[in-house]
Amino acid sequence: MKLSLLIPTVPATVEQAVPFARYVAHDSQLSRLWQGQSYGLEPAATFAYLAGAGYPVPAGTCVLVTPLRHPAQAALEARTVAAVTGQPAVMGYGPGSRAAQMARLGAAYDRPVDAAAEFIRATRSCLAQRWDPPDSGSGGSGGSGGPGYFHPGGALPPVAHPRVRLGLGVLRPAMARAAGEVADAAITWLAPAGYIRDTILPEVARGAEAAGRPRPSVIAAVPVAVSRPGRNPVELAHLSAGGHLVLPHYADMLARAGVDVPANDPAAAARALISGGGFLYGSPSAIAAGLAGYAAAGVDEVIINLTGVHSWYGTDETLLDLNDILAATVSAHG
């Protein structure tokens, strides 16, 4: 299983991302630098800056919300990231919450899974990438003759660039099947390892089999924090995931995983996330063991998410946690 790193903040300046790009550039254990959706600086521009600053590390996004962009713009951004870094890129997309859809589009998608799958197909068309099988409209995730959320408008003029892999943000079974049908990667967020093993992976495989194509890779973003004197795990879990725990689609996913996250009790929701394995807290060796659990569940890549630590303690403490976790991972492997 590969290990990667999420930029643990939404950068207000591009310089804030530099320490994490530098770490990835110099640590052979980390395969990619990821960024989530930003309503400040565009992630593609941040990665371009990092490449120009001397850190052209492999990049990924998990996940950018489709109401903010047209597939042609997404394709342009994606191939720009690959071209400026000189590295294959993984660009993940998802429909976002109903509130985000309403705010940007004036109405929510009536069929979010179809909209997300159609977005992936349209972006791939703009990139002029072939996928297996050709789009026949089969399956339940929005092929030709679907609702018509996105019109790609044809391929962009060709530009040489490393491969772009298109990912789909996955929480629940229907989106997992759609990822199996159309995406190069299924990207989870806050999902416990057991839920990925028992629910997400089988549905991704089922979608791929129905479409007659290989199973996409499964990538899990996992929030973590090392136990240290004075730290409060509930506060760190809330800082890392509190904004997601109040969203209905995340609460539903966690309920399916056996984790009850009451929207009206943030502390109880954070405690439930910890006890349910959606937030890893403990010694570096305990966290390394927890990450190994994702490998055992069949996950191909884990994105280490230290957002809570960064929010409370800053960059130096974040990199200390990362260093200790990676050292424990090496030690666990002998």
Side-chain angles (χ1 to χ4, degrees), residues 7-21 41 49-50 310 315:
I7 298 174
T9 183
V10 178
T13 68
V14 286
E15 290 82 4
Q16 290 176 337
V18 168
F20 309 105
L41 304 181
Y49 171 87
L50 294 172
H310 189 273
T315 296

Side-chain angles (χ1 to χ4, degrees), residues 90-334:
V90 182
M91 308 298 287
Y93 303 95
S97 67
R98 287 182 61 85
Q101 296 160 26
M102 290 287 293
R104 302 302 164 186
L105 304 174
Y109 299 130
D110 56 348
R111 296 164 65 182
V113 174
D114 288 359
E118 191 175 309
F119 185 91
I120 294 294
R121 288 188 172 107
T123 302
R124 196 183 302 281
S125 175
C126 292
L127 287 168
Q129 288 183 338
R130 190 180 76 86
W131 65 289
D132 295 321
D135 186 1
S136 62
S138 62
S141 55
S144 59
Y149 293 101
F150 303 103
H151 175 64
L156 296 170
V159 169
H161 60 83
R163 182 188 178 196
V164 172
R165 295 169 59 208
L166 300 178
L168 195 57
V170 166
L171 294 179
R172 294 178 285 186
M175 196 69 83
R177 287 193 299 274
E181 293 178 19
V182 304
D184 301 309
I187 305 171
T188 72
W189 189 274
L190 297 185
Y195 177 73
I196 295 175
R197 179 193 63 228
D198 297 337
T199 300
I200 295 299
L201 258 165
E203 293 296 340
V204 172
R206 188 170 292 118
E209 182 179 4
R213 61 194 298 260
R215 177 181 70 77
S217 59
V218 174
I219 302 171
V222 182
V224 303
V226 172
S227 173
R228 299 189 190 278
R231 288 188 175 181
N232 184 320
V234 174
E235 290 179 352
L236 290 172
H238 179 69
L239 283 169
S240 179
H244 293 88
L245 297 180
V246 298
L247 296 175
H249 52 309
Y250 278 93
D252 182 66
M253 178 274 289
L254 288 166
R256 292 167 186 259
V259 181
D260 179 25
V261 288
N264 60 351
D265 191 339
R271 282 193 293 269
L273 186 67
I274 296 168
S275 62
F279 182 92
L280 303 183
Y281 183 82
S283 66
S285 59
I287 293 174
L291 297 179
Y294 280 86
V299 171
D300 300 293
E301 180 177 346
V302 161
I303 305 166
I304 298 172
N305 174 1
L306 286 155
T307 301
V309 177
H310 189 273
S311 297
W312 193 268
Y313 296 104
T315 296
D316 289 346
E317 287 278 314
T318 300
L319 293 177
L320 177 62
D321 274 21
L322 177 62
N323 192 68
D324 288 353
I325 291 166
L326 293 177
T329 301
V330 171
S331 177
H333 291 159

